[in-house]
Coordinates of all heavy atoms in Angstrom, one line a residue:
M16 N -39.5 26.5 92.6 CA -39.9 26.9 91.2 C -41.4 26.7 91.0 O -42.0 25.7 91.3 CB -39.1 26.0 90.3 CG -39.3 26.2 88.8 SD -38.2 25.2 87.9 CE -37.9 26.3 86.5
S17 N -41.9 27.8 90.5 CA -43.4 27.8 90.4 C -43.8 27.1 89.0 O -43.1 27.1 88.0 CB -44.0 29.2 90.4 OG -43.6 29.9 89.2
K18 N -45.0 26.5 89.0 CA -45.5 25.8 87.9 C -46.1 26.8 86.9 O -46.9 27.7 87.4 CB -46.5 24.8 88.4 CG -47.1 23.8 87.4 CD -47.9 22.8 88.2 CE -48.6 21.9 87.3 NZ -49.4 21.0 88.1
T19 N -45.9 26.7 85.7 CA -46.5 27.6 84.7 C -48.0 27.1 84.5 O -48.3 26.0 84.3 CB -45.7 27.5 83.4 OG1 -44.4 27.8 83.6 CG2 -46.3 28.4 82.3
T20 N -48.8 28.2 84.5 CA -50.2 27.9 84.2 C -50.5 28.3 82.7 O -50.2 29.4 82.3 CB -51.1 28.8 85.1 OG1 -50.8 28.5 86.5 CG2 -52.6 28.5 84.9
Y21 N -51.0 27.3 82.0 CA -51.3 27.5 80.5 C -52.7 27.7 80.2 O -53.1 28.3 79.2 CB -50.7 26.3 79.7 CG -49.3 26.1 79.8 CD1 -48.7 25.2 80.6 CD2 -48.4 27.0 79.0 CE1 -47.3 25.0 80.7 CE2 -47.0 26.8 79.2 CZ -46.5 25.9 79.9 OH -45.2 25.6 80.0
N22 N -53.6 27.1 80.9 CA -55.0 27.2 80.6 C -55.9 27.6 81.8 O -55.3 27.6 83.0 CB -55.6 25.8 80.1 CG -55.7 24.8 81.1 OD1 -56.5 24.9 82.1 ND2 -54.9 23.7 81.0
R23 N -57.1 28.0 81.6 CA -58.0 28.5 82.6 C -59.2 27.6 82.6 O -60.3 28.0 83.1 CB -58.5 29.8 82.2 CG -57.5 31.0 82.1 CD -58.1 32.3 81.9 NE -59.1 32.7 82.9 CZ -60.4 32.7 82.8 NH1 -61.0 32.5 81.7 NH2 -61.2 33.1 83.9
I24 N -59.1 26.3 82.3 CA -60.2 25.4 82.2 C -60.9 25.3 83.6 O -62.1 25.4 83.7 CB -59.7 24.0 81.8 CG1 -59.3 24.1 80.3 CG2 -60.9 23.0 81.9 CD1 -58.7 22.9 79.7
K25 N -60.1 25.2 84.7 CA -60.6 25.1 86.1 C -61.5 26.4 86.4 O -62.6 26.2 86.9 CB -59.5 24.9 87.1 CG -60.0 24.7 88.4 CD -58.8 24.6 89.4 CE -59.3 24.3 90.9 NZ -58.1 24.0 91.7
S26 N -60.9 27.5 86.0 CA -61.7 28.8 86.3 C -63.0 28.8 85.6 O -64.0 29.3 86.1 CB -60.8 30.0 86.0 OG -59.7 29.9 86.7
V27 N -62.9 28.5 84.3 CA -64.1 28.5 83.4 C -65.1 27.5 83.9 O -66.4 27.9 83.9 CB -63.8 28.4 81.9 CG1 -65.0 28.4 81.0 CG2 -62.8 29.6 81.5
L28 N -64.7 26.4 84.3 CA -65.7 25.4 84.8 C -66.4 26.0 86.0 O -67.6 25.9 86.2 CB -64.9 24.1 85.2 CG -64.6 23.1 84.1 CD1 -63.7 22.0 84.6 CD2 -65.9 22.5 83.4
A29 N -65.6 26.6 86.9 CA -66.2 27.2 88.1 C -67.2 28.3 87.7 O -68.3 28.4 88.3 CB -65.1 27.7 89.0
E30 N -66.8 29.2 86.8 CA -67.7 30.2 86.4 C -69.0 29.7 85.8 O -70.0 30.4 85.9 CB -67.0 31.1 85.3 CG -65.8 31.9 85.8 CD -64.9 32.4 84.8 OE1 -65.2 32.4 83.5 OE2 -63.8 33.0 85.1
K31 N -68.9 28.6 85.1 CA -70.1 28.0 84.5 C -70.9 27.1 85.4 O -71.9 26.5 85.0 CB -69.7 27.3 83.2 CG -69.1 28.1 82.1 CD -70.2 29.0 81.5 CE -69.7 29.9 80.4 NZ -70.8 30.6 79.7
G32 N -70.4 26.9 86.6 CA -71.0 26.0 87.5 C -71.0 24.6 87.2 O -71.9 23.7 87.5
K33 N -69.9 24.1 86.5 CA -69.7 22.8 86.0 C -68.6 22.1 86.8 O -67.6 22.8 87.3 CB -69.3 22.8 84.5 CG -70.4 23.4 83.6 CD -71.5 22.5 83.3 CE -72.5 23.2 82.3 NZ -73.6 22.4 82.0
S34 N -68.7 20.8 86.8 CA -67.5 20.1 87.5 C -66.6 19.4 86.5 O -67.0 19.3 85.3 CB -68.1 19.0 88.4 OG -68.7 18.0 87.6
N35 N -65.5 18.9 87.0 CA -64.6 18.1 86.2 C -65.4 17.0 85.5 O -65.2 16.7 84.3 CB -63.4 17.6 86.9 CG -62.5 18.6 87.3 OD1 -62.7 19.8 87.3 ND2 -61.3 18.2 87.9
K36 N -66.2 16.3 86.4 CA -66.9 15.2 85.9 C -68.0 15.5 84.8 O -68.1 14.8 83.8 CB -67.6 14.5 87.0 CG -68.4 13.2 86.6 CD -68.8 12.3 87.8 CE -69.5 11.1 87.4 NZ -69.9 10.8 86.1
D37 N -68.5 16.7 84.9 CA -69.5 17.1 83.8 C -68.8 17.3 82.5 O -69.4 16.8 81.5 CB -70.2 18.5 84.3 CG -71.0 18.5 85.4 OD1 -71.7 17.4 85.7 OD2 -71.2 19.6 86.1
L38 N -67.6 17.9 82.5 CA -66.9 18.1 81.3 C -66.4 16.7 80.8 O -66.5 16.4 79.6 CB -65.7 19.0 81.5 CG -64.8 19.3 80.3 CD1 -65.7 19.9 79.1 CD2 -63.7 20.2 80.6
A39 N -65.9 15.9 81.7 CA -65.5 14.5 81.2 C -66.5 13.7 80.6 O -66.4 13.1 79.5 CB -64.9 13.8 82.4
D40 N -67.7 13.8 81.2 CA -68.9 13.1 80.7 C -69.3 13.6 79.3 O -69.6 12.9 78.3 CB -70.1 13.1 81.6 CG -70.0 12.3 82.9 OD1 -69.0 11.5 82.9 OD2 -70.7 12.6 83.8
S41 N -69.2 14.9 79.1 CA -69.6 15.5 77.9 C -68.5 15.2 76.7 O -68.9 15.1 75.5 CB -69.6 17.1 78.0 OG -70.7 17.5 78.8
L42 N -67.3 15.0 77.1 CA -66.2 14.7 76.2 C -66.1 13.2 76.0 O -65.2 12.7 75.2 CB -65.0 15.3 76.6 CG -64.9 16.8 76.5 CD1 -63.6 17.3 77.2 CD2 -65.0 17.3 75.1
N43 N -66.8 12.4 76.9 CA -66.6 11.0 76.9 C -65.2 10.5 77.2 O -64.6 9.7 76.5 CB -67.1 10.3 75.6 CG -67.5 8.9 75.8 OD1 -67.8 8.4 76.8 ND2 -67.3 8.1 74.6
I44 N -64.6 11.2 78.2 CA -63.2 10.8 78.6 C -63.2 10.6 80.1 O -64.2 10.9 80.8 CB -62.2 11.9 78.2 CG1 -62.6 13.3 78.9 CG2 -62.1 12.1 76.7 CD1 -61.5 14.4 78.7
A45 N -62.1 10.1 80.6 CA -61.9 9.9 82.1 C -61.8 11.2 82.9 O -61.1 12.2 82.4 CB -60.6 9.1 82.3
P46 N -62.5 11.3 83.9 CA -62.4 12.5 84.8 C -60.9 12.9 85.2 O -60.7 14.1 85.3 CB -63.3 12.2 86.1 CG -64.1 11.1 85.6 CD -63.4 10.3 84.6
E47 N -60.1 11.9 85.3 CA -58.7 12.2 85.7 C -58.0 13.0 84.6 O -57.1 13.8 84.9 CB -58.0 10.8 85.8 CG -58.4 10.0 87.0 CD -59.7 9.2 86.8 OE1 -60.1 9.0 85.6 OE2 -60.2 8.7 87.8
T48 N -58.4 12.8 83.3 CA -57.8 13.6 82.2 C -58.2 15.1 82.4 O -57.3 15.9 82.3 CB -58.4 13.1 80.9 OG1 -58.0 11.7 80.7 CG2 -57.7 14.0 79.7
V49 N -59.4 15.3 82.7 CA -59.9 16.7 82.9 C -59.1 17.3 84.2 O -58.7 18.5 84.2 CB -61.5 16.8 83.1 CG1 -61.9 18.3 83.5 CG2 -62.2 16.3 81.9
S50 N -59.0 16.5 85.2 CA -58.3 16.9 86.4 C -56.9 17.3 86.1 O -56.4 18.4 86.5 CB -58.3 15.8 87.4 OG -57.6 16.2 88.6
S51 N -56.2 16.6 85.2 CA -54.8 16.9 84.9 C -54.8 18.3 84.1 O -53.8 19.0 84.2 CB -54.1 15.8 84.1 OG -54.7 15.6 82.8
W52 N -55.8 18.6 83.3 CA -55.9 19.8 82.6 C -56.1 20.9 83.6 O -55.5 21.9 83.5 CB -57.0 19.9 81.6 CG -56.9 18.9 80.5 CD1 -55.8 18.3 80.0 CD2 -58.0 18.5 79.7 NE1 -56.1 17.4 79.0 CE2 -57.5 17.5 78.7 CE3 -59.3 18.7 79.6 CZ2 -58.3 16.9 77.7 CZ3 -60.1 18.0 78.7 CH2 -59.6 17.2 77.7
C53 N -57.0 20.7 84.6 CA -57.3 21.7 85.5 C -56.2 22.1 86.5 O -56.1 23.2 87.0 CB -58.6 21.3 86.4 SG -60.1 21.2 85.5
T54 N -55.3 21.2 86.6 CA -54.1 21.4 87.6 C -52.8 21.8 86.6 O -51.8 22.1 87.1 CB -53.7 20.2 88.3 OG1 -53.4 19.1 87.5 CG2 -54.8 19.8 89.3
N55 N -53.1 21.9 85.3 CA -52.1 22.2 84.4 C -50.9 21.3 84.3 O -49.8 21.6 84.0 CB -51.6 23.7 84.6 CG -52.5 24.7 83.9 OD1 -52.4 24.9 82.7 ND2 -53.5 25.2 84.6
S56 N -51.1 20.1 84.7 CA -50.0 19.0 84.6 C -50.1 18.4 83.2 O -49.0 17.7 82.9 CB -50.2 18.0 85.8 OG -51.4 17.4 85.7
A57 N -51.1 18.6 82.5 CA -51.2 18.1 81.1 C -52.1 19.2 80.4 O -52.8 19.9 81.1 CB -51.9 16.8 81.1
Q58 N -52.0 19.1 79.1 CA -52.7 20.1 78.3 C -53.6 19.4 77.2 O -53.1 18.5 76.6 CB -51.8 21.2 77.6 CG -50.9 22.0 78.6 CD -51.8 22.7 79.6 OE1 -52.9 23.3 79.3 NE2 -51.3 22.7 80.8
P59 N -54.8 19.9 77.0 CA -55.6 19.3 75.8 C -55.1 19.7 74.5 O -54.4 20.8 74.4 CB -56.9 19.9 76.1 CG -56.7 21.2 76.8 CD -55.5 21.0 77.7
S60 N -55.3 19.0 73.5 CA -55.0 19.4 72.1 C -55.8 20.6 71.7 O -56.8 20.9 72.3 CB -55.2 18.2 71.2 OG -56.6 18.0 71.1
I61 N -55.3 21.2 70.7 CA -56.0 22.3 70.1 C -57.5 21.9 69.8 O -58.4 22.6 70.0 CB -55.3 22.9 68.8 CG1 -53.9 23.4 69.3 CG2 -56.1 24.0 68.2 CD1 -53.9 24.6 70.2
K62 N -57.5 20.8 69.1 CA -58.9 20.2 68.7 C -59.8 20.1 69.9 O -60.9 20.5 69.9 CB -58.8 19.0 68.0 CG -60.1 18.3 67.5 CD -59.9 17.0 66.8 CE -61.3 16.4 66.5 NZ -61.2 15.1 66.0
R63 N -59.2 19.5 71.0 CA -60.0 19.4 72.2 C -60.3 20.7 72.9 O -61.4 20.8 73.4 CB -59.2 18.5 73.2 CG -59.9 18.0 74.3 CD -61.0 17.0 74.0 NE -60.6 15.7 73.9 CZ -61.3 14.7 73.6 NH1 -62.6 14.9 73.4 NH2 -60.9 13.5 73.6
L64 N -59.4 21.7 72.8 CA -59.8 23.0 73.3 C -61.0 23.6 72.7 O -61.9 24.1 73.3 CB -58.6 24.0 73.1 CG -57.5 24.0 74.2 CD1 -56.4 24.8 73.7 CD2 -58.1 24.4 75.5
F65 N -61.1 23.3 71.4 CA -62.3 23.9 70.6 C -63.6 23.1 71.1 O -64.7 23.7 71.3 CB -62.2 23.7 69.1 CG -61.4 24.9 68.5 CD1 -60.0 24.9 68.5 CD2 -62.1 26.0 68.0 CE1 -59.4 26.0 68.0 CE2 -61.4 27.1 67.5 CZ -60.1 27.1 67.5
E66 N -63.5 21.8 71.4 CA -64.6 21.0 71.9 C -65.0 21.5 73.3 O -66.2 21.6 73.6 CB -64.2 19.5 71.9 CG -64.0 18.9 70.6 CD -63.5 17.5 70.6 OE1 -63.1 17.0 71.7 OE2 -63.4 16.9 69.6
I67 N -64.0 21.8 74.1 CA -64.3 22.2 75.5 C -64.9 23.6 75.4 O -66.0 23.9 76.1 CB -63.0 22.4 76.3 CG1 -62.4 21.0 76.5 CG2 -63.2 23.1 77.6 CD1 -60.9 21.0 77.0
A68 N -64.5 24.4 74.6 CA -65.1 25.8 74.5 C -66.5 25.7 73.9 O -67.5 26.4 74.5 CB -64.3 26.6 73.4
N69 N -66.9 24.8 73.0 CA -68.1 24.6 72.5 C -69.1 24.1 73.7 O -70.2 24.6 73.9 CB -68.2 23.6 71.4 CG -69.5 23.5 70.7 OD1 -70.2 24.5 70.4 ND2 -69.9 22.2 70.6
I70 N -68.6 23.1 74.5 CA -69.4 22.5 75.5 C -69.6 23.7 76.6 O -70.8 23.8 77.1 CB -68.7 21.4 76.2 CG1 -68.7 20.2 75.2 CG2 -69.2 21.0 77.5 CD1 -67.8 19.1 75.5
L71 N -68.7 24.5 76.9 CA -68.8 25.5 77.9 C -69.4 26.8 77.4 O -69.6 27.7 78.2 CB -67.5 25.7 78.6 CG -66.9 24.5 79.4 CD1 -65.5 24.9 80.0 CD2 -67.8 24.1 80.5
D72 N -69.6 26.8 76.2 CA -70.2 28.0 75.5 C -69.3 29.3 75.8 O -69.8 30.4 76.2 CB -71.6 28.2 76.0 CG -72.4 29.2 75.1 OD1 -72.1 29.3 73.9 OD2 -73.3 29.9 75.6
V73 N -68.1 29.2 75.4 CA -67.1 30.3 75.6 C -66.2 30.3 74.4 O -66.2 29.3 73.6 CB -66.2 30.2 76.8 CG1 -67.1 30.3 78.1 CG2 -65.4 29.0 76.9
E74 N -65.5 31.4 74.2 CA -64.6 31.5 73.1 C -63.3 30.7 73.5 O -63.0 30.8 74.7 CB -64.2 32.9 72.7 CG -65.4 33.6 72.0 CD -65.0 35.0 71.4 OE1 -63.8 35.1 71.0 OE2 -65.8 35.8 71.3
V75 N -62.7 30.1 72.6 CA -61.4 29.3 72.9 C -60.5 30.2 73.6 O -59.8 29.7 74.6 CB -60.8 28.7 71.6 CG1 -59.6 28.0 71.8 CG2 -61.8 27.8 71.0
R76 N -60.2 31.4 73.2 CA -59.2 32.2 73.8 C -59.5 32.4 75.3 O -58.5 32.7 76.0 CB -59.1 33.6 73.1 CG -60.4 34.4 73.3 CD -60.2 35.7 72.4 NE -61.5 36.5 72.5 CZ -61.8 37.4 73.5 NH1 -60.9 37.5 74.4 NH2 -62.9 38.0 73.5
L77 N -60.7 32.3 75.8 CA -60.9 32.4 77.2 C -60.4 31.2 78.0 O -60.4 31.3 79.3 CB -62.4 32.6 77.4 CG -63.0 33.9 76.9 CD1 -64.5 34.0 77.2 CD2 -62.3 35.1 77.5
L78 N -60.1 30.1 77.3 CA -59.6 28.9 78.0 C -58.1 29.0 78.2 O -57.5 28.2 78.9 CB -60.0 27.6 77.2 CG -61.5 27.3 77.1 CD1 -61.7 26.2 76.2 CD2 -62.1 27.1 78.5
L79 N -57.4 30.0 77.5 CA -55.9 30.1 77.6 C -55.5 31.2 78.4 O -56.2 32.3 78.5 CB -55.4 30.1 76.2 CG -55.7 28.9 75.3 CD1 -55.3 29.2 73.9 CD2 -55.0 27.7 75.8
I80 N -54.3 31.2 79.0 CA -53.7 32.3 79.7 C -53.1 33.1 78.6 O -52.3 32.7 77.8 CB -52.7 31.8 80.7 CG1 -53.3 30.9 81.7 CG2 -51.9 33.0 81.3 CD1 -54.3 31.6 82.6
S81 N -53.3 34.4 78.7 CA -52.8 35.4 77.7 C -51.3 35.6 78.0 O -50.8 35.5 79.1 CB -53.5 36.7 77.9 OG -52.8 37.7 77.0
T82 N -50.5 35.8 76.9 CA -49.1 36.0 77.0 C -48.7 37.4 77.2 O -47.6 37.8 77.3 CB -48.3 35.4 75.8 OG1 -48.8 36.0 74.6 CG2 -48.5 33.9 75.8
K83 N -49.7 38.3 77.1 CA -49.5 39.7 77.1 C -50.2 40.3 78.3 O -51.2 39.9 78.7 CB -50.0 40.4 75.8 CG -49.4 39.9 74.6 CD -48.4 40.9 74.2 CE -47.7 40.3 72.9 NZ -46.7 41.0 72.4

């Protein structure tokens, strides 16, 4: 059974040349939390998605997988 992918955080970090640790440091959270988002084993809150988008200078919708 394949795992559902909900976010593109890992891809956007790579596109921006940022690491999990860079994002974790910017959010003042544990790198393990960012890692769990990048592997889609956990998801950030909507509020946190907006913070991530601001840090990475992208629109929030680019952090999510489209349903269409």
Side-chain angles (χ1 to χ4, degrees):
M16 181 176 213
S17 68
K18 186 172 172 181
T19 302
T20 303
Y21 296 103
N22 74 62
R23 297 186 62 248
I24 295 172
K25 182 177 182 176
S26 299
V27 175
L28 281 170
E30 291 165 10
K31 295 291 182 170
K33 303 279 185 178
S34 70
N35 291 9
K36 184 168 179 355
D37 293 332
L38 182 57
D40 289 347
S41 295
L42 293 169
N43 199 29
I44 60 173
E47 295 81 10
T48 301
V49 176
S50 179
S51 69
W52 297 340
C53 289
T54 60
N55 276 275
S56 58
Q58 301 303 319
S60 68
I61 297 296
K62 179 180 176 185
R63 191 63 89 180
L64 274 174
F65 277 85
E66 293 171 353
I67 295 166
N69 187 47
I70 290 166
L71 297 177
D72 194 30
V73 297
E74 291 196 27
V75 173
R76 65 185 178 84
L77 294 178
L78 296 174
L79 300 171
I80 300 295
S81 176
T82 58
K83 302 259 176 184

